[in-house]
């Protein structure tokens, strides 16, 4: 099958065009069917492409000489949606010129432009940022929202559950993914009214939503492999994700220090290298890069601002998989099947939308 | 100096009296000046003490045959505050019979009984749960609130900053600890109104509070050693803490799996054992056990429910240090110096108390 091409905002990210192009080239080497629309400063992209003739052959360049910076507020970014590399990549999705967009730029700007250009799906009030985290089980866990929405209401959380379940079905092949709400305890009385209301709704609608819902999970249980979708508001989700990333980095630093603390440790390290390489692979956030904005009429994937070429390649691979598996269409179908009114009714019945 | 004795709720925790007594005995072996009031089922405590004559000689037993369970709601716990081991340990602090109480029981119950029995200090609306986390720098970082208060207002966060700074001065010997608010970004526009209001107040009051306040920190930066106090609401703080604990455990599991994956790795592991032992020490939550309820007229320390004897001993050591350094008195003095009205005024000026 021909894969719709992927629009890459070549100017986003801490290291700019070189890393984005190298990442796309790496993804292209791994998957020959990938095609690209590279959006950004044409001379800079051409120069970066000189080292990657295969990517050059699979790409078209869309020139833009305006870039959204990390400091731009969403409102400023919106005004330049038609002229910036990020905005033009998203608009290529809107026009059907690309199947999805990938950007490592300013998350707030990416969210604002995506939402305005692509609009939310029927039945979805707000998109959510969803990522796959590694687990001790057989499959990754889908966690959302990871920072798109600072404040959420009950209705948002229920919609996130529907979107996360659709993503998880692709990853796990489970018909009824195990969905849990992130909370500070598993007992029914724990947490906020918001969470308790969302739990009530999800419990009563579990069958209709084709989910296995069993209440709450705690932040230390997310990666144990017994849950497929963890639903949370964007503030808590972002805190949890960054705490995980920070701890992984902290442990990596400790590991390096420990193994270089003596000659004996250095020798042991060299011998056990295959084992520590495996651990290093798991701890490197680049190997888990690529968070999708779900709930829009079109696919936009956020790559971490500090990702290296491997990270960018992984974000591109996530994007391709979401396109190939028709995740956007599947979420739309799930929502249509459940019925927008049905969700709204239950939300009001539970006294939600706080 | 004679250390006021420490009341230990011998019945709390997942493993009950045996682990609590072993932990107290271990603490006693390390620090001969410690004396204890062991509260709980007398026959069970006597039996556990048979193996620990030194602890026996340094302890008095206070009998209670009622125990707060993990399932008891705070309201149920409050009704049995005078008859349960947890309640009697706290009341021993109130009466001056002990200098502090340690419990591994139900956190919600511990908070409710402590607050009712000991009352909050003048100028403090709600106590906060504060713990020390390891950093890559020279000192631990104080993080609070870790779960005592699910919803917080601006005023609470400012008070947590004052209490956290007092705790940090004991740990770091810094006159002006570096205080940051936990947020999902460091830019001034990030996060909720609540956080932005708290930042405004803390910035304007930094000199008066003797703190070095410089805005926000993110959850992945908490342990880098460039901040001494991280202030957050109890929901986000609990999420962050558990995400850190879960990741540490996850990495520990991966490490074990990696090193046992081949003969070569096993040999490397044996050679580099001193290095991996150091890492194991850092990753074990028992070595960071003991979170203090700050802001009460008396000291109560929570030990993790799943802590082993080493963890309990560490919680006892934290308790002893907080007693010896007069942290409760120092927080009271700081608050009196700053002036309750002053804090209240600024809070209203910033439109806080959302």
């Amino acid at each position: 099958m021909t894969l719709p091409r992927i629009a890459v905002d070549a100017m986003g990210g801490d290291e700019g065009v070189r890393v984005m192009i190298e990442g796309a080239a790496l993804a292209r080497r791994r998957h020959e069917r990938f095609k690209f629309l590279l959006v950004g400063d044409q001379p800079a992209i051409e120069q970066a492409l000189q080292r990657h003739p295969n990517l050059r052959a699979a790409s078209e360049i869309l020139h833009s000489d305006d870039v959204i910076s990390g400091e731009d507020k969403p409102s400023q970014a919106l005004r330049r949606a038609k002229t910036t590399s990020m905005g033009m990549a998203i608009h290529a999705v809107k026009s059907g010129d690309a199947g999805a967009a990938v950007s490592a730029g300013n998350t707030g700007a990416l969210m604002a432009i995506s939402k305005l250009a692509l609009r939310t799906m029927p039945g979805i009030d707000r998109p959510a940022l969803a990522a796959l985290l590694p687990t001790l089980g057989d499959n990754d866990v889908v966690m959302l929202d990871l920072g798109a929405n600072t404040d959420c209401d009950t209705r948002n959380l229920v919609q996130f559950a529907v979107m996360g379940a659709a993503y998880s079905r692709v990853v796990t092949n489970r018909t009824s993914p195990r969905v849990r709400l992130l909370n500070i305890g598993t007992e029914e009385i724990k947490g906020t009214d918001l969470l308790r209301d969302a739990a009530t709704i999800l419990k009563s609608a579990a069958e209709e939503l084709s989910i296995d819902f069993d209440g709450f999970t705690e932040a230390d249980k997310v990666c144990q492999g017994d849950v497929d979708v963890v639903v949370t508001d964007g503030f808590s989700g972002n805190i949890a994700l960054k705490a995980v990333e920070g701890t992984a980095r902290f442990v990596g630093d400790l590991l390096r220090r420990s193994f270089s603390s003596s000659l004996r440790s250095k020798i042991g390290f060299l011998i056990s290298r295959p084992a520590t390489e495996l651990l290093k692979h798991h701890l490197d956030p680049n190997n888990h890069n690529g968070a999708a904005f779900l709930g829009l009429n079109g696919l936009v994937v956020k790559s971490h601002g500090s990702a290296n070429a491997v990270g960018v390649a992984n974000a591109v691979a996530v994007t391709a998989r979401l396109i190939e598996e028709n995740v956007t269409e599947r979420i739309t179908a799930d929502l249509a099947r459940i019925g927008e009114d049905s969700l709204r009714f239950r939300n009001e019945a539970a006294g939600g939308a706080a």
Side-chain angles (χ1 to χ4, degrees), chain A:
Chain A
M1 94 181 233
T2 352
L3 187 72
R5 62 185 178 173
I6 297 169
V8 175
D9 168 13
M11 312 310 284
D14 301 348
E15 301 214 40
V17 65
R18 192 188 54 78
V19 165
M20 295 306 292
I21 297 300
E22 270 186 29
L26 188 56
R28 163 76 190 172
R29 272 206 297 283
R30 289 183 192 161
H31 308 276
E32 292 219 333
R33 66 193 184 287
F34 290 7
K35 301 216 177 305
F36 297 91
L37 180 67
L38 305 173
V39 191
D41 183 63
Q42 180 139 11
I45 294 173
E46 292 281 11
Q47 200 192 349
L49 280 174
Q50 282 175 7
R51 294 181 50 213
H52 304 291
N54 284 343
L55 176 63
R56 182 74 194 87
S59 301
E60 186 189 332
I61 299 174
L62 183 60
H63 176 71
S64 151
D65 48 19
D66 193 8
V67 179
I68 306 276
S69 82
E71 285 69 43
D72 282 326
K73 292 185 186 174
S75 55
Q76 295 169 310
L78 280 178
R79 279 196 292 275
R80 283 148 57 216
K82 299 267 167 81
T83 57
T84 49
S85 58
M86 180 192 284
M88 287 168 72
I90 295 166
H91 276 271
V93 179
K94 185 184 181 183
S95 68
D97 209 18
V102 178
S103 174
N106 184 327
T107 311
L110 191 62
M111 163 80 168
I113 298 176
S114 301
K115 203 176 156 188
L116 192 68
L118 302 172
R119 302 280 169 188
T120 52
M121 294 173 178
I124 295 293
D125 298 310
R126 294 199 207 160
L129 196 55
L132 298 174
L133 302 182
T135 72
L136 292 171
D138 295 330
N139 293 115
D140 287 348
V141 55
V142 176
M143 188 160 166
L144 75 171
D145 173 34
L146 295 175
N149 308 284
T150 306
D151 288 305
C152 291
D153 63 19
T154 313
R155 193 174 152 85
N156 297 137
L157 293 180
V158 173
Q159 293 169 2
F160 296 171
V162 176
M163 298 193 287
Y167 193 172
S168 179
R169 283 185 197 104
V170 170
V171 178
T172 63
N173 286 320
R174 273 176 197 271
T175 326
S176 299
R178 298 162 297 180
V179 178
R180 306 287 182 270
L181 289 160
L182 185 68
N183 199 347
I184 59 173
T186 53
E187 302 87 351
E188 276 187 19
I189 57 155
K190 283 286 168 100
T192 57
D193 289 344
L194 172 68
L195 284 167
R196 286 189 294 266
D197 288 346
T200 306
I201 296 170
L202 288 171
K203 204 167 192 174
S204 71
E207 200 174 327
E208 198 177 354
L209 297 171
S210 281
I211 60 170
D212 165 0
F213 180 74
D214 191 23
F216 304 127
T217 190
E218 294 173 89
D220 57 339
K221 308 278 170 23
V222 169
C223 295
Q224 290 194 337
D226 56 0
V227 52
D228 302 309
V229 182
V230 174
V231 175
T232 173
D233 67 276
F235 190 90
S236 306
N238 193 275
I239 295 279
L241 181 72
K242 284 184 182 153
V244 168
E245 288 174 353
T247 308
R249 208 162 48 225
F250 180 75
V251 173
D253 284 351
L254 276 180
L255 204 63
R256 256 186 300 281
R257 281 192 198 184
S258 303
F259 277 118
S260 57
S261 61
S262 71
L263 182 62
R264 177 177 161 171
S265 302
K266 281 179 196 160
I267 293 169
F269 173 75
L270 287 175
I271 294 173
S272 51
R273 193 150 211 174
T276 51
E277 283 298 316
L278 189 69
L279 188 71
K280 208 173 129 192
H281 177 87
H282 275 289
L283 290 181
D284 186 347
N286 283 298
N287 296 316
H288 315 288
N289 190 37
F293 282 103
L294 299 181
L296 297 168
N297 299 302
L299 191 61
V300 176
V301 170
K302 165 82 175 109
S303 171
H304 205 295
S306 64
N308 62 18
V310 172
V312 172
N314 280 322
V316 169
V318 164
T319 310
R321 186 167 186 191
L322 288 164
I323 298 176
E324 286 177 318
E325 300 274 2
N326 295 309
V327 169
T328 301
E329 292 71 18
R330 284 163 77 167
I331 294 175
T332 310
D334 281 350
L335 289 167
R337 188 165 47 80
I338 297 156
E340 187 184 356
D341 292 341
S342 161
L343 273 179
R344 185 173 291 146
F345 169 75
R346 269 196 299 273
N347 197 35
E348 283 161 5

